[in-house]
PDB file of all heavy atoms in Angstrom:
ATOM      1  N   MET A 171      17.196  13.217 -42.299  1.00 96.00           N
ATOM      2  CA  MET A 171      16.723  12.585 -43.522  1.00 96.00           C
ATOM      3  C   MET A 171      15.363  11.925 -43.319  1.00 96.00           C
ATOM      4  O   MET A 171      14.565  11.829 -44.259  1.00 96.00           O
ATOM      5  CB  MET A 171      17.743  11.552 -44.001  1.00 96.00           C
ATOM      6  CG  MET A 171      19.073  12.140 -44.433  1.00 96.00           C
ATOM      7  SD  MET A 171      18.949  13.179 -45.903  1.00 96.00           S
ATOM      8  CE  MET A 171      18.914  11.949 -47.177  1.00 96.00           C
ATOM      9  N   LYS A 172      15.075  11.482 -42.105  1.00 96.00           N
ATOM     10  CA  LYS A 172      13.761  10.905 -41.822  1.00 96.00           C
ATOM     11  C   LYS A 172      12.677  11.979 -41.784  1.00 96.00           C
ATOM     12  O   LYS A 172      11.523  11.716 -42.128  1.00 96.00           O
ATOM     13  CB  LYS A 172      13.803  10.158 -40.496  1.00 96.00           C
ATOM     14  CG  LYS A 172      14.740   8.952 -40.485  1.00 96.00           C
ATOM     15  CD  LYS A 172      14.756   8.285 -39.119  1.00 96.00           C
ATOM     16  CE  LYS A 172      15.707   7.104 -39.096  1.00 96.00           C
ATOM     17  NZ  LYS A 172      15.759   6.462 -37.749  1.00 96.00           N
ATOM     18  N   VAL A 173      13.046  13.173 -41.364  1.00 96.00           N
ATOM     19  CA  VAL A 173      12.080  14.274 -41.296  1.00 96.00           C
ATOM     20  C   VAL A 173      11.895  14.932 -42.662  1.00 96.00           C
ATOM     21  O   VAL A 173      10.816  15.451 -42.968  1.00 96.00           O
ATOM     22  CB  VAL A 173      12.547  15.318 -40.256  1.00 96.00           C
ATOM     23  CG1 VAL A 173      11.647  16.547 -40.248  1.00 96.00           C
ATOM     24  CG2 VAL A 173      12.591  14.696 -38.865  1.00 96.00           C
ATOM     25  N   PHE A 174      12.917  14.879 -43.494  1.00 97.00           N
ATOM     26  CA  PHE A 174      12.961  15.665 -44.728  1.00 97.00           C
ATOM     27  C   PHE A 174      11.745  15.474 -45.641  1.00 97.00           C
ATOM     28  O   PHE A 174      11.203  16.458 -46.159  1.00 97.00           O
ATOM     29  CB  PHE A 174      14.252  15.359 -45.493  1.00 97.00           C
ATOM     30  CG  PHE A 174      14.400  16.126 -46.762  1.00 97.00           C
ATOM     31  CD1 PHE A 174      14.743  17.470 -46.744  1.00 97.00           C
ATOM     32  CD2 PHE A 174      14.178  15.521 -47.987  1.00 97.00           C
ATOM     33  CE1 PHE A 174      14.872  18.187 -47.914  1.00 97.00           C
ATOM     34  CE2 PHE A 174      14.301  16.231 -49.159  1.00 97.00           C
ATOM     35  CZ  PHE A 174      14.650  17.564 -49.126  1.00 97.00           C
ATOM     36  N   PRO A 175      11.260  14.238 -45.901  1.00 95.00           N
ATOM     37  CA  PRO A 175      10.097  14.112 -46.788  1.00 95.00           C
ATOM     38  C   PRO A 175       8.869  14.871 -46.304  1.00 95.00           C
ATOM     39  O   PRO A 175       8.055  15.324 -47.115  1.00 95.00           O
ATOM     40  CB  PRO A 175       9.838  12.597 -46.822  1.00 95.00           C
ATOM     41  CG  PRO A 175      11.161  11.976 -46.516  1.00 95.00           C
ATOM     42  CD  PRO A 175      11.802  12.909 -45.535  1.00 95.00           C
ATOM     43  N   GLY A 176       8.711  15.028 -44.988  1.00 95.00           N
ATOM     44  CA  GLY A 176       7.575  15.766 -44.462  1.00 95.00           C
ATOM     45  C   GLY A 176       7.633  17.253 -44.746  1.00 95.00           C
ATOM     46  O   GLY A 176       6.632  17.963 -44.591  1.00 95.00           O
ATOM     47  N   MET A 177       8.807  17.750 -45.168  1.00 96.00           N
ATOM     48  CA  MET A 177       8.953  19.163 -45.495  1.00 96.00           C
ATOM     49  C   MET A 177       8.441  19.482 -46.895  1.00 96.00           C
ATOM     50  O   MET A 177       8.368  20.655 -47.269  1.00 96.00           O
ATOM     51  CB  MET A 177      10.421  19.566 -45.365  1.00 96.00           C
ATOM     52  CG  MET A 177      10.954  19.431 -43.945  1.00 96.00           C
ATOM     53  SD  MET A 177      12.762  19.308 -43.844  1.00 96.00           S
ATOM     54  CE  MET A 177      13.253  20.782 -44.693  1.00 96.00           C
ATOM     55  N   MET A 178       8.105  18.450 -47.676  1.00 95.00           N
ATOM     56  CA  MET A 178       7.671  18.656 -49.059  1.00 95.00           C
ATOM     57  C   MET A 178       6.152  18.668 -49.135  1.00 95.00           C
ATOM     58  O   MET A 178       5.481  17.752 -48.654  1.00 95.00           O
ATOM     59  CB  MET A 178       8.247  17.552 -49.953  1.00 95.00           C
ATOM     60  CG  MET A 178       9.753  17.531 -49.990  1.00 95.00           C
ATOM     61  SD  MET A 178      10.429  16.188 -51.009  1.00 95.00           S
ATOM     62  CE  MET A 178       9.802  16.637 -52.617  1.00 95.00           C
ATOM     63  N   SER A 179       5.622  19.719 -49.721  1.00 94.00           N
ATOM     64  CA  SER A 179       4.185  19.879 -49.925  1.00 94.00           C
ATOM     65  C   SER A 179       4.001  20.698 -51.198  1.00 94.00           C
ATOM     66  O   SER A 179       4.977  21.241 -51.734  1.00 94.00           O
ATOM     67  CB  SER A 179       3.543  20.578 -48.728  1.00 94.00           C
ATOM     68  OG  SER A 179       3.904  21.943 -48.703  1.00 94.00           O
ATOM     69  N   PRO A 180       2.783  20.806 -51.710  1.00 94.00           N
ATOM     70  CA  PRO A 180       2.601  21.639 -52.913  1.00 94.00           C
ATOM     71  C   PRO A 180       3.104  23.068 -52.757  1.00 94.00           C
ATOM     72  O   PRO A 180       3.597  23.659 -53.717  1.00 94.00           O
ATOM     73  CB  PRO A 180       1.077  21.594 -53.129  1.00 94.00           C
ATOM     74  CG  PRO A 180       0.661  20.286 -52.552  1.00 94.00           C
ATOM     75  CD  PRO A 180       1.544  20.070 -51.361  1.00 94.00           C
ATOM     76  N   GLY A 181       3.004  23.611 -51.542  1.00 92.00           N
ATOM     77  CA  GLY A 181       3.455  24.980 -51.343  1.00 92.00           C
ATOM     78  C   GLY A 181       4.945  25.133 -51.140  1.00 92.00           C
ATOM     79  O   GLY A 181       5.490  26.231 -51.316  1.00 92.00           O
ATOM     80  N   SER A 182       5.647  24.074 -50.763  1.00 94.00           N
ATOM     81  CA  SER A 182       7.082  24.168 -50.496  1.00 94.00           C
ATOM     82  C   SER A 182       7.924  23.438 -51.527  1.00 94.00           C
ATOM     83  O   SER A 182       9.150  23.529 -51.487  1.00 94.00           O
ATOM     84  CB  SER A 182       7.394  23.588 -49.113  1.00 94.00           C
ATOM     85  OG  SER A 182       7.121  22.187 -49.078  1.00 94.00           O
ATOM     86  N   PHE A 183       7.290  22.722 -52.454  1.00 95.00           N
ATOM     87  CA  PHE A 183       8.055  21.881 -53.379  1.00 95.00           C
ATOM     88  C   PHE A 183       9.038  22.703 -54.211  1.00 95.00           C
ATOM     89  O   PHE A 183      10.226  22.374 -54.287  1.00 95.00           O
ATOM     90  CB  PHE A 183       7.089  21.114 -54.293  1.00 95.00           C
ATOM     91  CG  PHE A 183       7.773  20.275 -55.323  1.00 95.00           C
ATOM     92  CD1 PHE A 183       8.449  19.123 -54.962  1.00 95.00           C
ATOM     93  CD2 PHE A 183       7.747  20.636 -56.663  1.00 95.00           C
ATOM     94  CE1 PHE A 183       9.085  18.345 -55.907  1.00 95.00           C
ATOM     95  CE2 PHE A 183       8.376  19.867 -57.623  1.00 95.00           C
ATOM     96  CZ  PHE A 183       9.047  18.717 -57.240  1.00 95.00           C
ATOM     97  N   LEU A 184       8.569  23.763 -54.829  1.00 94.00           N
ATOM     98  CA  LEU A 184       9.456  24.581 -55.661  1.00 94.00           C
ATOM     99  C   LEU A 184      10.453  25.390 -54.848  1.00 94.00           C
ATOM    100  O   LEU A 184      11.648  25.411 -55.177  1.00 94.00           O
ATOM    101  CB  LEU A 184       8.623  25.489 -56.571  1.00 94.00           C
ATOM    102  CG  LEU A 184       7.779  24.774 -57.633  1.00 94.00           C
ATOM    103  CD1 LEU A 184       6.978  25.789 -58.441  1.00 94.00           C
ATOM    104  CD2 LEU A 184       8.647  23.942 -58.555  1.00 94.00           C
ATOM    105  N   PRO A 185      10.059  26.093 -53.776  1.00 94.00           N
ATOM    106  CA  PRO A 185      11.056  26.841 -53.008  1.00 94.00           C
ATOM    107  C   PRO A 185      12.109  25.959 -52.339  1.00 94.00           C
ATOM    108  O   PRO A 185      13.233  26.413 -52.090  1.00 94.00           O
ATOM    109  CB  PRO A 185      10.216  27.578 -51.952  1.00 94.00           C
ATOM    110  CG  PRO A 185       8.842  27.621 -52.496  1.00 94.00           C
ATOM    111  CD  PRO A 185       8.690  26.362 -53.285  1.00 94.00           C
ATOM    112  N   LEU A 186      11.771  24.713 -52.051  1.00 95.00           N
ATOM    113  CA  LEU A 186      12.722  23.826 -51.378  1.00 95.00           C
ATOM    114  C   LEU A 186      13.896  23.460 -52.280  1.00 95.00           C
ATOM    115  O   LEU A 186      15.018  23.265 -51.799  1.00 95.00           O
ATOM    116  CB  LEU A 186      12.000  22.561 -50.913  1.00 95.00           C
ATOM    117  CG  LEU A 186      12.807  21.529 -50.122  1.00 95.00           C
ATOM    118  CD1 LEU A 186      13.417  22.140 -48.870  1.00 95.00           C
ATOM    119  CD2 LEU A 186      11.926  20.338 -49.756  1.00 95.00           C
ATOM    120  N   PHE A 187      13.655  23.379 -53.588  1.00 95.00           N
ATOM    121  CA  PHE A 187      14.709  22.947 -54.514  1.00 95.00           C
ATOM    122  C   PHE A 187      15.937  23.860 -54.476  1.00 95.00           C
ATOM    123  O   PHE A 187      17.059  23.373 -54.256  1.00 95.00           O
ATOM    124  CB  PHE A 187      14.134  22.854 -55.930  1.00 95.00           C
ATOM    125  CG  PHE A 187      15.166  22.699 -56.995  1.00 95.00           C
ATOM    126  CD1 PHE A 187      15.882  21.519 -57.116  1.00 95.00           C
ATOM    127  CD2 PHE A 187      15.439  23.736 -57.870  1.00 95.00           C
ATOM    128  CE1 PHE A 187      16.846  21.380 -58.102  1.00 95.00           C
ATOM    129  CE2 PHE A 187      16.398  23.608 -58.852  1.00 95.00           C
ATOM    130  CZ  PHE A 187      17.101  22.424 -58.972  1.00 95.00           C
ATOM    131  N   PRO A 188      15.813  25.183 -54.687  1.00 93.00           N
ATOM    132  CA  PRO A 188      17.025  26.017 -54.618  1.00 93.00           C
ATOM    133  C   PRO A 188      17.641  26.059 -53.227  1.00 93.00           C
ATOM    134  O   PRO A 188      18.857  26.238 -53.096  1.00 93.00           O
ATOM    135  CB  PRO A 188      16.536  27.396 -55.063  1.00 93.00           C
ATOM    136  CG  PRO A 188      15.067  27.383 -54.844  1.00 93.00           C
ATOM    137  CD  PRO A 188      14.624  25.979 -55.048  1.00 93.00           C
ATOM    138  N   SER A 189      16.840  25.890 -52.198  1.00 93.00           N
ATOM    139  CA  SER A 189      17.391  25.914 -50.844  1.00 93.00           C
ATOM    140  C   SER A 189      18.314  24.714 -50.595  1.00 93.00           C
ATOM    141  O   SER A 189      19.305  24.830 -49.869  1.00 93.00           O
ATOM    142  CB  SER A 189      16.259  25.921 -49.814  1.00 93.00           C
ATOM    143  OG  SER A 189      15.454  27.076 -49.947  1.00 93.00           O
ATOM    144  N   ILE A 190      17.987  23.574 -51.180  1.00 95.00           N
ATOM    145  CA  ILE A 190      18.861  22.403 -51.032  1.00 95.00           C
ATOM    146  C   ILE A 190      20.179  22.638 -51.753  1.00 95.00           C
ATOM    147  O   ILE A 190      21.259  22.376 -51.212  1.00 95.00           O
ATOM    148  CB  ILE A 190      18.153  21.154 -51.581  1.00 95.00           C
ATOM    149  CG1 ILE A 190      16.911  20.841 -50.759  1.00 95.00           C
ATOM    150  CG2 ILE A 190      19.091  19.955 -51.581  1.00 95.00           C
ATOM    151  CD1 ILE A 190      16.057  19.736 -51.351  1.00 95.00           C
TER     152      ILE A 190
END
Side-chain angles (χ1 to χ4, degrees):
M171 294 294 280
K172 296 178 181 179
V173 174
F174 181 75
M177 297 159 56
M178 298 178 63
S179 72
S182 65
F183 177 71
L184 294 179
L186 183 57
F187 168 70
S189 298
I190 296 172

